[in-house]
């Protein structure tokens, strides 16, 4: 992963920090979903409407950070990989390193354990929960 992310050098989900609302606007679930949709577009090149994202799990990170994980509508793997490749290429053309430098699609804790290198502390419980829902 890029050194500019919150979990540099570790496998992680696309995401970012919550930006404060503008001009006294409420930071409600709709605004949070909008920020999640923005992160999907910025880091993976996936356009999803905020109302199509479902708040799925809330985690507490190793430093006391709170993470909100949203489920997006399912897309074919080829679509995800192509969109990610286009976003990464566009960043490099502009002389920037992409926030995420690789993509891995995992469906189970065993697949997560098979990834080379460390992963963000929240990732294992999220993958375990996801694999239990399938």
């Amino acid at each position: 992963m890029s050194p500019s992310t919150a979990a540099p050098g570790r496998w992680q989900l696309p995401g970012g920090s919550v930006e404060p609302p503008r001009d006294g606007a409420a930071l409600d679930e709709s605004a949070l979903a909008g920020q999640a949709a923005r992160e999907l577009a910025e880091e993976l090149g996936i356009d999803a409407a905020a109302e199509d994202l479902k708040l799925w799990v809330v985690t507490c990170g190793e430093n006391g950070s709170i993470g909100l994980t949203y489920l997006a509508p399912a897309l074919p793997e080829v679509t995800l990989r192509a969109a990610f490749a286009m976003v990464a290429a566009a960043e490099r053309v502009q002389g920037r390193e992409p926030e995420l430098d690789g993509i891995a699609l995992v469906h189970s804790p065993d697949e997560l354990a098979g990834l080379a290198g460390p992963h963000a502390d929240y990732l294992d419980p999220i993958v375990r929960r996801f694999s239990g829902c399938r």
Side-chain angles (χ1 to χ4, degrees):
M1 301 303 147
S2 170
S4 66
T5 66
R10 296 182 278 178
W11 289 100
Q12 60 187 303
L13 295 174
S17 299
V18 172
E19 295 178 9
R22 295 183 186 180
D23 302 323
L27 183 57
D28 57 14
E29 190 171 342
S30 175
L32 292 169
Q35 291 193 31
R38 178 184 47 78
E39 291 292 343
L40 272 176
E42 287 177 1
E43 295 181 7
L44 293 180
I46 302 299
D47 290 321
E51 57 270 11
D52 292 336
L53 302 181
K54 176 184 170 192
L55 180 58
W56 185 63
V57 68
V58 178
T59 55
C60 182
E62 59 193 18
N63 297 320
S65 61
I66 302 298
L68 306 175
T69 300
Y70 287 82
L71 291 180
L75 294 172
E77 181 176 346
V78 66
T79 301
L80 293 170
R81 291 190 182 281
F84 175 74
M86 286 182 12
V87 165
E91 287 291 308
R92 289 185 179 105
V93 164
Q94 294 179 21
R96 298 187 300 251
E97 278 300 309
E99 286 189 57
L100 303 178
D101 61 5
I103 186 171
L105 305 176
V106 298
H107 301 92
S108 72
D110 290 339
E111 290 178 16
L112 180 62
L115 292 177
H119 50 77
D121 63 332
Y122 63 80
L123 200 51
D124 185 65
I126 287 175
V127 171
R128 286 185 186 286
R129 181 173 178 187
F130 179 76
S131 67
C133 293
R134 299 184 66 196

